[in-house]
Amino acid sequence: MKGVPIDINCDVGEGMGNEAMLFPYITSCNIACGGHAGDKNAMKHMVQLAKRYNVKIGAHPSYPDRENFGREALTISTEALQRSIKEQLGEFNAILREERVQLHHIKAHGALYNKMVKDRALSSLFLEAIKMYQNQVFLYVPYASEISIEAKERGFKIKNEVFGDRNYNVDLSLVSRTMENALIKDPKKVLAHVLHIIKTNTVKTIADKKIRTLADTVCIHGDTSTALEILMYLSKELPNHQVQPKK
């Protein structure tokens, strides 16, 4: 998305089949590594699309839970979870080496991502599992979360992420997908939501309160039904607003 002043990322390789249409409108991607979705062929296809459109490549590991698409917190031992994360990233990086491209970032998926917002022990476990990539990549994490604090203390480079197609609670958690107002599907409302965050460093919650946040990167979920319409609209409109993320 040439000219857009902020990174727009998208979760891909999750079986939606719409990625070839989405890639021209994003600047970075988070590719499912087989834990919740994806396989070697899907990963390779996503990497090749990213190369074609000059999109930064991220790994998107999750709980090993394809049955629930990684959206349920698993009861799993520390050893088993760390082993799964390492295996997911190992298989993904083998493909990156084959395609001669670099890993730009790591972003956890679903329940793993959301639980690390408030769980320092799980955050520590995750960071230990990916420590071999510490000097190589950014982590996409929510602002002021336990994972962001722990990552900075351990010397990881982070980028603060917000969600353009999701509503927020007052504690900066995402509104549950079980609620009718969880998703923002109207492209104009997504633009307004994103612009408010970028311009004010706050997010307007469903309780109409403004809570501080920071946005280095904005996620639009590839499985949101209007993802393509949203991305096309942001691509057209964001450059007109001459906005830069503030610190």
Side-chain angles (χ1 to χ4, degrees):
M1 248 187 329
K2 188 176 180 181
V4 174
I6 190 167
D7 179 49
I8 303 293
N9 78 74
C10 194
D11 302 340
V12 297
E14 298 178 326
M16 298 301 111
N18 59 352
E19 289 89 355
M21 295 184 290
L22 302 181
F23 267 83
Y25 303 102
I26 61 177
T27 48
S28 68
C29 66
N30 322 301
I31 301 175
C33 301
H36 67 290
D39 56 23
K40 184 174 182 179
N41 288 336
M43 284 185 260
K44 187 168 186 177
H45 181 47
M46 293 303 106
V47 170
Q48 290 172 343
L49 282 172
K51 287 171 63 177
R52 184 184 309 167
Y53 292 102
N54 195 30
V55 169
K56 297 183 289 289
I57 295 171
H60 200 34
S62 72
Y63 281 117
D65 183 20
R66 297 176 74 91
E67 182 179 353
N68 297 301
F69 198 68
R71 287 180 174 159
E72 300 286 340
L74 285 189
T75 300
I76 184 173
S77 70
T78 296
E79 294 78 11
L81 181 56
Q82 285 190 330
R83 182 170 60 252
S84 176
I85 293 167
K86 290 177 181 178
E87 288 173 353
Q88 290 176 58
L89 290 172
E91 185 172 5
F92 185 63
N93 271 281
I95 293 169
L96 296 186
R97 288 192 295 271
E98 289 176 9
E99 295 293 326
R100 299 183 180 180
V101 290
Q102 295 294 314
L103 181 65
H104 174 263
H105 64 276
I106 296 172
K107 172 188 167 180
H109 165 80
L112 182 60
Y113 181 103
N114 290 328
K115 193 171 182 182
M116 288 193 294
V117 170
K118 297 181 180 180
D119 191 327
R120 182 65 75 96
L122 182 61
S123 299
S124 180
L125 181 159
F126 181 78
L127 293 171
E128 190 67 22
I130 66 170
K131 64 181 180 181
M132 67 178 293
Y133 305 98
Q134 178 173 347
N135 298 321
Q136 179 184 348
V137 305
F138 290 96
L139 293 186
Y140 282 15
V141 292
Y143 170 73
S145 60
E146 292 296 330
I147 179 64
S148 71
I149 295 167
E150 181 76 10
K152 284 189 285 188
E153 288 180 357
R154 288 175 177 244
F156 283 83
K157 300 176 291 184
I158 70 167
K159 286 188 179 291
N160 297 292
E161 181 181 45
V162 297
F163 292 87
D165 56 355
R166 295 294 301 275
N167 274 313
Y168 282 80
N169 297 305
V170 292
D171 63 352
L172 280 185
S173 64
L174 298 176
V175 174
S176 170
R177 287 178 177 269
T178 63
M179 305 295 289
E180 288 186 5
N181 60 345
L183 291 169
I184 308 172
K185 297 183 180 181
D186 184 328
K188 291 183 179 179
K189 290 182 179 179
V190 172
L191 176 66
H193 182 60
V194 170
L195 286 176
H196 175 86
I197 292 171
I198 297 172
K199 289 180 177 180
T200 70
N201 284 341
T202 66
V203 60
K204 188 179 292 185
T205 71
I206 58 171
D208 206 31
K209 291 186 177 181
K210 296 177 182 178
I211 308 296
R212 178 168 171 79
T213 192
L214 291 177
D216 300 308
T217 182
V218 176
C219 177
I220 304 297
H221 289 90
D223 63 347
T224 295
S225 60
T226 55
L228 179 59
E229 291 85 348
I230 290 170
L231 289 169
M232 291 175 69
Y233 190 73
L234 292 181
S235 178
K236 176 184 176 184
E237 295 295 330
L238 270 178
N240 297 332
H241 290 270
Q242 303 289 315
V243 292
Q244 293 288 345
K246 296 191 299 182
K247 299 296 182 186

